[in-house]
């Protein structure tokens, strides 16, 4: 096996086993147990990772699978803090992800890139932005990531869609 591939898989596996990751994912699962809207569980994180990596490959964006999976696994890691303290899940996620990624052997440049994705994901989407994406391909990992985060949800078949703060416009999920 290629040593670089092993290292990549090992670091992503370290994230999955990291105490801060497992503790926060478990806490989020407990806090969302009665939630009727989308959950922010491991299935969601892995769906985002898979979809994002497909987008990255299809559009030749050149980001590694490791970077995509690390960002996807950690993008909602701050949800439990948001539910319990009111701190934004973006801010809490950046803090937690920084510690987890460094412990798992990621370089500072990758840590900062992933923290930026956590900070910015879902924060700049509007109906106008969604319409632009229909006309052009994603150019950055953040654009690919936001598309994957949206496409990972099954809004059209959701029983509580009319109560959700997300809506579907022009085949894109927007706030």
């Amino acid at each position: 096996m290629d040593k670089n591939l092993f290292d990549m898989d090992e670091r992503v596996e370290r994230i999955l086993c990291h105490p801060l990751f497992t503790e926060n994912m478990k806490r989020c699962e407990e806090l969302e147990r009665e939630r009727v809207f989308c959950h922010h569980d491991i299935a969601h994180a892995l769906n985002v990772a898979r979809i994002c990596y497909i987008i990255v490959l299809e559009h030749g964006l050149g980001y590694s699978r490791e970077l995509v999976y690390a960002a996807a696994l950690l993008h909602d890691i701050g949800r439990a803090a948001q539910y319990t303290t009111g701190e934004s899940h973006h801010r809490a996620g950046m803090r937690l992800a920084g510690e987890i990624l460094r412990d798992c052997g990621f370089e500072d440049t990758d840590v900062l890139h992933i923290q930026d994705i956590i900070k910015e994901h879902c924060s700049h989407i509007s109906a106008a932005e969604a319409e632009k994406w229909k006309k052009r391909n994603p150019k950055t990992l953040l654009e690919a990531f936001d598309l994957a985060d949206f496409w990972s949800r099954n809004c059209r078949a959701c029983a509580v869609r009319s109560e959700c703060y997300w809506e579907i416009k022009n085949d894109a999920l927007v706030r």
Side-chain angles (χ1 to χ4, degrees):
M1 175 181 274
D2 182 337
K3 175 93 170 101
N4 291 333
L5 183 58
F6 177 77
D7 288 345
M8 177 191 68
D9 291 340
E10 186 177 303
R11 286 191 291 200
V12 171
E13 182 68 26
R14 285 183 201 155
I15 292 171
L16 290 167
C17 297
H18 194 283
L20 275 178
F21 178 80
T22 57
E23 172 189 320
N24 279 278
M25 291 299 284
K26 181 180 179 186
R27 186 73 179 124
C28 186
E29 184 179 325
E30 291 167 357
L31 292 165
E32 289 186 339
R33 188 161 290 143
E34 302 299 319
R35 181 180 163 95
V36 296
F37 301 109
C38 293
H39 289 212
H40 302 92
D41 54 14
I42 192 70
H44 169 65
L46 289 171
N47 285 337
V48 171
R50 292 176 188 120
I51 294 166
C52 188
Y53 194 56
I54 290 168
I55 293 168
V56 164
L57 292 174
E58 287 180 347
H59 296 284
L61 298 180
Y63 298 103
S64 72
R65 182 176 70 174
E66 175 185 54
L67 189 69
V68 170
Y69 271 73
L73 288 171
L74 296 168
H75 81 281
D76 283 329
I77 197 69
R79 287 283 177 180
Q82 180 174 321
Y83 296 145
T84 57
T85 69
E87 180 182 15
S88 111
H89 86 278
H90 297 102
R91 185 179 320 272
M94 288 173 59
R95 178 176 35 80
L96 293 166
E99 186 173 340
I100 293 167
L101 291 165
R102 285 183 184 92
D103 286 352
C104 293
F106 285 81
E107 298 293 325
D108 285 342
T109 55
D110 288 338
V111 171
L112 293 173
H113 194 179
I114 291 168
Q115 286 178 314
D116 190 51
I117 289 168
I118 292 168
K119 176 184 173 189
E120 298 295 331
H121 83 279
C122 301
S123 63
H124 67 283
I125 302 305
S126 65
E129 186 69 20
E131 187 60 30
K132 278 197 282 185
W133 280 353
K134 284 180 69 178
K135 294 182 174 118
R136 66 173 170 80
N137 296 325
K139 302 282 189 255
T140 67
L141 184 55
L142 177 60
E143 289 177 351
F145 191 86
D146 278 349
L147 285 172
D149 199 11
F150 295 151
W151 289 346
S152 72
R153 302 176 190 284
N154 192 14
C155 296
R156 285 183 175 77
C158 180
V160 292
R161 178 175 156 198
S162 63
E163 300 168 37
C164 188
Y165 58 88
W166 292 102
E167 61 179 302
I168 298 175
K169 288 186 180 177
N170 303 320
D171 294 325
L173 189 60
V174 296
R175 281 195 238 216

